[in-house]
Amino acid sequence: MTHPALAYRPQFDDRSACLDHFKAVRGETLQLTSGLCAEDMQVQTMPDVSPTKWHLAHVTWFFETFLAKRFIPDYEVFDPGYNYLFNSYYEQVGEQWSRPDRGLLSRPRHADILAYREHVEGAVAQLIEQASETDWLDIAPLLELGQQHERQHQELLLTDIKHVLSQAPNPHAPFSGTIEPARRPGDMRFISMSGGLVEIGASQADFVFDNELPRHKRWQEDFEIAARTVSNAEFAEFVADGGYKNPRFWLSDGWAWVEENNVRHPLYWRETDDGWQEYTLHGLVPLQPGLPVCHVSAYEAAAFAEWKGMRLPTETELELLARAHPAEGVLLGDDERYHPGRLDDQEVAQGVFGDVWEWSSSGYEAYPGYHPPDGAVGEYNGKFMSGQQVLRGGSCATERNHIRATYRNFFPPSARWQFTGIRLAKRTRPASSLKSA
């Protein structure tokens, strides 16, 4: 049975448009590396970070493995060893080089990777133009999945290189431009949302990932959710108040993580004699009070919410907010900004899409009735439905056409090298409080 996420759609009939889109996505990936040198692209700073040149090769491996090798009878493999080096986690395809050791490989060189990309792009372009109508029914959905996959790696490439460059005492800024000055926003306002028997999940005809399916019903109580995300200024108060030193605010695993890693502030903050600074992809800058706090873990998000006497929203609440208020913040490519945008004092929703990924309180699990696609592509999402936390909304590193209300991102609760932030929800008062009020 064909999985709905990999179904053929009418827009695939225009092969010329499909080819143009394929070339555009591939070109945008290379454009993101224009401020880097080959030495930048080699480094791996932690197991979750991959070298830039690995990203460039892996997304190419995806097209070679699932399209070129399968549908081109006389396809000439660029290098037989690349299947081992650049397979990420697809066990049905073969063994993989150890993820934490990707940075140990000085070869293949960056120039070899670029040649690999050109070789596979040429083959896929020929396939798009010349495949039989019968094959095209299977090729087109896989081509789209490959492009959506590369979009995801564009975001990972940016966040990974940010972690790499941040390790230097005077870190390089790969992008020009400046971070806009932003004063502290006014008091946080909340939006009242009605609950009831609601539906979440995807059902539309456009592309979705398999973990967004199927659309299903859930019961949702009425709730109040913040109109904007938490600012740097607000989080700095948590830091100054000893939030990282008080176990009362932390989940047990979170407190163990804080103690073990000596965490005392968000990932890219630096304390100086002149106050806090923050490393951005535009360089090291004074911490701007009115920008969203970012690069915080789910543990930090939950602790901050507890400190404020509030809670993190569920993924259902975040999806309902996104549908009712599809407000956009900074997304990838907006005026060549690679950092979240300014927070305003307003009653309407702000930055629901873009700026920062928003941690939910929901664990990443399968929706009722979910099943992964058949074959190796079925390993794309489903195998990770354990020990992860759901995030919603996208970030300043997420491409605009890659966001939607149903998109489910997921990371372990300790992860914070992505552009992850916090949106608060109000805690429902217990019945005793309501009675005495």
Side-chain angles (χ1 to χ4, degrees):
M1 183 176 72
T2 301
H3 195 281
L6 298 176
Y8 191 88
R9 286 178 286 279
Q11 60 263 37
F12 297 149
D13 292 337
D14 187 345
R15 294 206 196 183
S16 177
C18 289
L19 179 58
D20 289 344
H21 188 252
F22 170 69
K23 291 180 177 179
V25 171
R26 300 287 287 174
E28 289 161 9
T29 302
L30 289 182
Q31 181 61 35
L32 293 175
T33 70
S34 61
L36 306 175
C37 64
E39 289 81 0
D40 295 328
M41 301 187 206
Q42 172 64 40
V43 180
Q44 180 179 23
T45 46
M46 67 171 179
D48 285 335
V49 161
S50 294
T52 297
K53 73 176 188 180
W54 185 90
H55 285 292
L56 296 177
H58 168 68
V59 293
T60 304
W61 168 90
F62 192 97
F63 286 113
E64 182 177 58
T65 300
F66 295 109
L67 286 175
K69 287 182 179 180
R70 177 179 171 184
F71 293 101
I72 301 177
D74 57 349
Y75 175 72
E76 183 178 349
V77 173
F78 184 82
D79 187 315
Y82 281 14
N83 189 64
Y84 175 57
L85 294 179
F86 302 122
N87 176 4
S88 55
Y89 50 72
Y90 294 87
E91 300 290 347
Q92 296 179 60
V93 176
E95 294 184 355
Q96 313 99 41
W97 178 261
S98 170
R99 178 176 180 174
D101 296 331
R102 289 169 182 168
L104 300 180
L105 298 170
S106 61
R107 304 298 176 98
R109 302 170 302 167
H110 177 238
D112 299 327
I113 300 302
L114 294 181
Y116 178 43
R117 287 179 64 88
E118 184 175 351
H119 175 85
V120 174
E121 282 172 21
V124 173
Q126 183 178 7
L127 187 62
I128 294 171
E129 293 177 323
Q130 300 179 9
S132 69
E133 292 299 323
T134 300
D135 281 349
W136 182 243
L137 295 176
D138 293 324
I139 290 169
L142 287 170
L143 176 68
E144 183 177 30
L145 178 62
Q147 292 168 147
Q148 297 282 353
H149 170 254
E150 184 148 352
R151 293 283 196 208
Q152 289 184 313
H153 277 270
Q154 289 172 356
E155 182 165 354
L156 288 170
L157 187 154
L158 287 175
T159 52
D160 286 4
I161 197 61
K162 183 174 184 178
H163 194 272
V164 166
L165 297 176
S166 73
Q167 306 303 306
N170 296 298
H172 169 62
F175 297 103
S176 59
T178 58
I179 300 298
E180 56 183 327
R183 294 179 295 179
R184 177 181 180 134
D187 292 341
M188 189 175 292
R189 301 178 185 272
F190 285 79
I191 299 171
S192 296
M193 301 283 294
S194 298
L197 189 61
V198 300
E199 289 189 347
I200 72 165
S203 62
Q204 67 266 38
D206 293 334
F207 176 87
V208 294
F209 287 112
D210 61 288
N211 66 352
E212 301 171 58
L213 297 164
R215 193 173 178 87
H216 60 284
K217 293 180 173 64
R218 290 189 177 184
W219 179 261
Q220 173 64 50
E221 299 291 343
D222 297 348
F223 63 100
E224 291 184 84
I225 191 166
R228 60 167 175 81
T229 57
V230 172
S231 69
N232 281 329
E234 289 160 333
F235 202 89
E237 291 176 348
F238 172 71
V239 176
D241 195 44
Y244 282 92
K245 300 176 183 179
N246 190 337
R248 182 171 72 85
F249 305 124
W250 296 82
L251 297 169
S252 178
D253 286 347
W255 183 247
W257 172 78
V258 165
E259 292 287 277
E260 181 180 351
N261 297 283
N262 194 31
V263 180
R264 294 294 180 263
H265 51 74
L267 181 58
Y268 295 121
W269 288 21
R270 296 187 179 190
E271 192 170 18
T272 71
D273 293 339
D274 297 323
W276 289 106
Q277 290 189 315
E278 181 178 20
Y279 175 64
T280 76
L281 288 169
H282 301 281
L284 195 62
V285 300
L287 185 70
Q288 295 300 316
L291 296 185
V293 65
C294 60
H295 300 293
V296 291
S297 68
Y299 294 140
E300 292 165 285
F304 178 86
E306 184 67 24
W307 177 74
K308 292 289 288 185
M310 299 188 193
R311 63 178 177 87
L312 297 181
T314 66
E315 72 164 315
T316 299
E317 290 168 340
L318 288 172
E319 181 167 326
L320 294 176
L321 175 68
R323 287 179 173 171
H325 302 277
E328 291 186 357
V330 176
L331 290 156
L332 181 61
D334 287 358
D335 300 324
E336 298 186 352
R337 289 184 291 173
Y338 300 91
H339 199 75
R342 184 178 65 247
L343 295 169
D344 297 321
D345 179 19
Q346 53 186 11
E347 296 185 22
V348 297
Q350 181 182 8
V352 176
F353 293 126
D355 285 334
V356 290
W357 286 103
E358 298 170 16
W359 285 108
S360 78
S361 61
S362 303
Y364 179 52
E365 61 183 7
Y367 284 161
Y370 166 82
H371 66 88
D374 296 331
V377 293
E379 298 185 61
Y380 198 98
N381 280 312
K383 66 191 289 182
F384 299 109
M385 291 176 175
S386 175
Q388 313 263 11
Q389 204 85 355
V390 174
L391 303 101
R392 292 299 192 111
S395 79
C396 58
T398 306
E399 205 273 336
R400 182 176 301 278
N401 293 321
H402 206 207
I403 59 166
R404 51 195 170 269
T406 59
Y407 195 122
R408 305 176 78 201
N409 202 353
F410 55 93
F411 282 103
S414 61
R416 58 183 192 152
W417 88 106
Q418 297 298 307
F419 285 95
T420 48
I422 310 167
R423 189 182 295 268
L424 297 175
K426 285 192 175 180
R427 181 178 289 160
T428 303
R429 288 182 293 172
S432 59
S433 297
L434 292 172
K435 185 176 181 180
S436 61

